[in-house]
Amino acid sequence: MSPTRLPFSEQLAEASRFILKGDYFLVVSHVNPDGDAISSTLAVGEMLAQLGKHYILINDNSIPDKFVFLMGNRQIADYSTKPQLQFERIITVDCADFQRVGSMKELFTAGIPLLNIDHHPTNDYFGFAQLIQPEAAATVEILYGLIQELGTSWNQELASFIYTGLLTDTGGFRYANTTSHVMRIAAEMLDHGAMGNEIADRLLERLTMPQVLLLQKALISLSFALHGQVSWLSVSHEDIGELHVSNEDMDGLVNYPRNISGVEVGMLFKETAPNQFKVSMRSAGKVNVAEIAHFFGGGGHIRASGCTVEGSFLDEVVSKVLKEVGRALL
Ligand code: 5GP
Ligand code: MN
């Protein structure tokens, strides 16, 4: 973490100045965006709209279908379609390092002022200005503070964005990051009209058919090591292709090994391309999985992290990762 980290109130003041001074913004989140990434993008867009700014919301790829209900008549452009972009400032949300934006990193040229808003403890403080609070449960929790600082007003949609990021990054208000502050903000968002039950139903309960068919296959791969303290599932590139599963279809899979009693570290190995494995890690508390992911060039949170590891076979990648997990469990 940067030794020059400013107190949060000063970071908020700097972020406000950054926003008030600019006119044309690009708002960017990370590849394979989750609920917090999408909600944060939309919430920043709403703030900018209220301030009369010009802005483009954009992601490296298209937005997963299940989030479309949140967007109303808003658009999040798909960078892979090479849209026309006019901007003078960039705001990144929920990105721990600039690699997380995917191919959009080519826009991050020297001289373009960038504001980095994030809650990952592994954030490397890229950009010109930072609004970073690792204690925050979600990036939207930080945005709640920014909305208050800027004095923009609440409406049902903005409240739904903030509520969604809190709901999804706390696993439905269940993880250790579910503080009383999170619950107070969530309650306030319900008062502002956020549709709590609809959001939970669409994002946490509903399953797609490919998702369940993949679960059926993945459970066969369930494995254990280190006296049952580590467990994992894997999905092959073939299965992903055959079942037409999307990234978000694979979202909850890592919870199966994670939730087994006695398991300290639960993992999912997804073969995203031949010889390339995306690893999701979840900790029950003993192990800091952000450090393990960081070792492999990824990052994340103490209890939830991810990285990409190359290897010709699944077994090779599993043993590389197990070696580091074993070390952490010593
Ligand atoms: P997931 O396993 O659900 O993809 O990610 C869990 C957490 O780790 C998320 O907070 C996500 O932001 C972070 N994460 C996942 N993959 C990467 C990665 O490749 N690099 C970094 N820096 N963080 C990641
Ligand atoms: Mn987040």
Side-chain angles (χ1 to χ4, degrees), residues 96-97 100 120 278 280 282 298-301 304-307:
D97 56 66
R100 292 287 286 152
H120 291 92
K278 171 83 213 231
S280 289
R282 300 291 184 269
H301 308 278
S305 69
C307 57

Side-chain angles (χ1 to χ4, degrees), residues 52 96 135 161 192 207 259 297 310:
E135 303 78 24
F161 303 152
H192 288 305
L207 302 169
N259 288 343
E310 310 267 326

Side-chain angles (χ1 to χ4, degrees), residues 92-123:
T92 62
V93 287
D94 209 38
C95 296
D97 56 66
F98 79 87
Q99 303 288 347
R100 292 287 286 152
V101 303
S103 49
M104 272 187 296
K105 63 177 179 265
E106 63 205 30
L107 301 173
F108 292 20
T109 48
I112 300 244
L114 187 150
L115 169 63
N116 166 1
I117 307 179
D118 186 37
H119 70 124
H120 291 92
T122 52
N123 194 291

